[in-house]
């Protein structure tokens, strides 16, 4: 029994040969996106699938827990979410107060602010993190929910790209 759904033990809504073949195509494409997998429309385009067909499949697959729906158009493999939760835990442990901000999490993962917040809000719904004002704290061990994982490696620091006009101005001023 799962919510309002009753299933036979071991039943998987996607345990048929066609869906298994589709999963062998979809999973590598999701994994290739790393911690920022493609959105549903991007994934459908990349895999040359109808968006509605892919959405239906991913919703069915999410019932097995192998993939999880972060937002209406973004799905994550469970292992990737475990890595992102491990990163949240590492950021919290690095803080004297045991709390962290969305900005600290964004910096630790190297993803954009919007996606970082979506991930943190999803972790809140799983009761892995809890928002406290403008910060978050860890509520429970993510491994019990998502499985064990190592945190994301620190993103490479890249120097800010200079405006080409600024470079031209510098070159001109040296003459």
């Amino acid at each position: 029994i799962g919510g309002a759904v009753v299933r036979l033990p071991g039943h998987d809504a996607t345990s048929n040969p066609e869906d298994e073949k589709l999963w062998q195509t979809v999973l590598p494409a999701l994994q290739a996106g790393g911690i920022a997998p493609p959105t549903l429309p991007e994934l459908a385009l990349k895999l040359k699938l109808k968006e509605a067909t892919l959405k239906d499949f991913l919703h069915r697959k999410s019932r097995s827990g192998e993939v999880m729906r972060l937002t209406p158009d973004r799905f994550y493999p469970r292992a990737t979410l475990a890595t992102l939760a491990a990163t949240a835990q590492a950021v919290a442990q690095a803080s004297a107060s045991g709390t962290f901000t969305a900005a600290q999490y964004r910096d630790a993962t190297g993803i954009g602010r919007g996606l970082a917040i979506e991930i943190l809000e999803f972790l809140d719904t799983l009761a892995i993190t809890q928002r406290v004002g403008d910060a978050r704290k860890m509520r429970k061990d993510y491994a019990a929910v998502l499985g064990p994982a190592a945190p994301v490696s620190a993103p490479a620091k890249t120097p800010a790209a200079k405006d080409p006009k600024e470079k031209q101005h510098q070159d001109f001023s040296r003459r």
Side-chain angles (χ1 to χ4, degrees), residues 4-26:
V5 178
V6 177
R7 282 180 241 165
L8 294 172
H11 174 74
D12 179 0
T14 60
S15 62
N16 65 63
E18 289 174 16
D19 278 357
E20 188 53 38
K21 183 179 176 186
L22 184 56
W23 182 237
Q24 296 307 317
T25 303
V26 172

Side-chain angles (χ1 to χ4, degrees), residues 1-155:
I1 298 177
V5 178
V6 177
R7 282 180 241 165
L8 294 172
H11 174 74
D12 179 0
T14 60
S15 62
N16 65 63
E18 289 174 16
D19 278 357
E20 188 53 38
K21 183 179 176 186
L22 184 56
W23 182 237
Q24 296 307 317
T25 303
V26 172
L27 180 60
L30 287 172
Q31 291 171 329
I35 59 172
T39 62
L40 190 60
E42 293 166 342
L43 188 60
L45 186 64
K46 179 179 181 178
L47 298 176
K48 297 180 174 72
L49 295 169
K50 290 181 181 175
E51 190 175 327
T53 302
L54 182 59
K55 184 176 186 175
D56 178 60
F57 169 75
L58 287 170
H59 277 279
R60 286 193 325 272
K61 198 67 177 171
S62 69
R63 291 186 199 123
S64 74
E66 292 178 76
V67 66
M68 301 178 98
R69 183 177 147 238
L70 187 80
T71 64
D73 73 340
R74 194 179 298 267
F75 290 80
Y76 271 81
R78 180 183 213 90
T80 304
L81 283 170
T83 298
L84 291 164
T87 304
Q89 185 174 50
V91 174
Q93 289 174 342
S95 167
S97 65
T99 63
F100 61 96
T101 64
Q104 289 170 314
Y105 184 76
R106 175 205 63 211
D107 293 346
T109 59
I111 57 178
R113 180 181 177 275
L115 183 56
I117 290 171
E118 288 175 350
I119 291 165
L120 291 171
E121 288 174 349
F122 183 76
L123 295 176
D124 291 348
T125 66
L126 296 177
I128 293 170
T129 58
Q130 178 181 4
R131 185 172 177 184
V132 181
D134 288 337
R136 280 191 168 72
K137 67 178 185 175
M138 297 303 291
R139 285 186 60 194
K140 64 181 171 187
D141 182 25
Y142 68 88
V145 178
L146 299 171
V152 172
S153 301

